[in-house]
Amino acid sequence: MSIPANLKYTKDHEWVSLEGDVATVGITHFAQKELGDIVYVEVETLDQTLDKDEVFGTVEAVKTVSDLFLPLAGEIIEFNDALESAPETVNSDPYGAGWMIKIKVADVADYDTLLSSEAYKELIGA
């Protein structure tokens, strides 16, 4: 199972990369595998400022709908529009083209509070 070492993770199975004060967020390989075939990604919080752990959207698979939780406080500045026509990209490339949102992070230091790849592996028993 792919768990890139250059990313940070949450207990809710989101991954985060940070460039400057902009974080890119998606769901992990483990999460997409558990959900199954993803048929829809909904993010209605674009241009909103949310706190860490608030719901920023949902991901819908064939058998279930799951909330998406914001890993860092900040303003949601971009949604991956490609997921509207190809939500299955989250299954095929969760750490690349399957990213979901970009956030202008309120406090960059909060990034260091997220799980390392090693800690995330322990969490999921990988």
Side-chain angles (χ1 to χ4, degrees):
M1 180 176 309
S2 176
I3 303 173
N6 63 320
L7 302 174
K8 293 282 194 167
Y9 300 88
T10 71
K11 291 178 180 162
D12 296 311
H13 310 290
E14 281 95 15
W15 61 262
V16 184
S17 68
L18 186 66
E19 290 184 35
D21 65 350
V22 175
T24 302
V25 178
I27 64 170
T28 65
H29 178 82
F30 175 83
Q32 68 79 24
K33 187 176 175 190
E34 290 292 304
L35 287 167
D37 294 336
I38 293 173
V39 296
Y40 190 67
V41 178
E42 181 175 52
V43 174
E44 293 184 348
T45 51
L46 190 61
D47 300 323
Q48 293 181 27
T49 299
L50 301 175
D51 290 328
K52 179 180 178 176
D53 297 328
E54 279 194 77
V55 174
F56 72 83
T58 57
V59 60
E60 183 176 337
V62 174
K63 298 178 183 173
T64 188
V65 176
S66 184
D67 287 337
L68 298 166
F69 299 96
L70 203 63
L72 299 166
E75 179 185 359
I76 298 173
I77 58 172
E78 189 175 344
F79 169 65
N80 184 355
D81 292 331
L83 298 181
E84 289 183 355
S85 60
E88 66 278 2
T89 306
V90 175
N91 291 116
S92 62
D93 191 10
Y95 299 114
W99 67 272
M100 295 181 174
I101 61 167
K102 293 193 179 188
I103 311 163
K104 183 166 177 52
V105 178
D107 186 352
V108 175
D110 289 343
Y111 181 74
D112 293 329
T113 67
L114 299 173
L115 300 173
S116 67
S117 59
E118 293 80 19
Y120 184 69
K121 284 177 189 175
E122 283 183 34
L123 176 75
I124 63 170

